[in-house]
Amino acid sequence: QVQLVESGGGLVQAGGSLRLSCAASGSISSPYYMGWYRQAPGKERELVARIRTEGITDYAESVKGRFTISKGNAKNTVNLRMNSLKPEDTAVYYCHFRSIVSAYVYWGQGTQVTVSS
């Protein structure tokens, strides 16, 4: 089992910035992916960004150049820096962990990000 604890999120005006953090604990073995998905009302959950243990990153096209995912200073943590936020970025953001070896997937509880116009 892997537990994910998220922090960050909130309300910001368009053009502003926010940071999300996620810490994983439990039975963690490398390699793995950690990252963020989001789900807006009435829409499917979608990948925002993820980072592999070795540092390889993937981003949704809609956030490239605005969001940056990075490993945190603490072990098994990731940060998502979100700049130039747009109203369409409004969603519940979920931390995601996927073991590459076992393919087990874990989710955080979700944190709301609201961008006002």
Side-chain angles (χ1 to χ4, degrees):
Q1 285 287 339
V2 173
Q3 295 77 43
L4 301 174
V5 177
E6 303 156 339
S7 60
L11 173 64
V12 67
Q13 289 187 332
S17 298
L18 284 174
R19 191 181 86 154
L20 304 180
S21 296
C22 180
S25 61
S27 302
I28 298 171
S29 59
S30 298
Y32 60 78
Y33 284 106
M34 274 188 75
W36 297 88
Y37 281 67
R38 68 186 179 187
Q39 188 166 20
K43 294 189 176 181
E44 293 188 355
R45 193 171 295 191
E46 63 175 0
L47 173 69
V48 177
R50 67 179 182 179
I51 185 166
R52 189 174 161 131
T53 323
E54 302 90 335
I56 299 169
T57 58
D58 294 315
Y59 293 92
E61 284 296 324
S62 60
V63 306
K64 281 183 180 179
R66 300 189 298 123
F67 291 11
T68 303
I69 191 167
S70 61
K71 294 182 180 181
N73 292 329
K75 191 176 180 181
N76 301 323
T77 63
V78 292
N79 299 314
L80 182 68
R81 179 67 178 177
M82 305 184 291
N83 295 329
S84 302
L85 283 160
K86 305 175 181 180
E88 50 264 43
D89 294 316
T90 295
V92 177
Y93 284 68
Y94 296 92
C95 183
H96 172 266
F97 177 100
R98 182 169 78 85
S99 168
I100 293 173
V101 174
S102 69
Y104 285 164
V105 175
Y106 300 92
W107 295 95
Q109 77 279 8
T111 185
Q112 178 70 45
V113 170
T114 302
V115 184
S116 63
S117 57

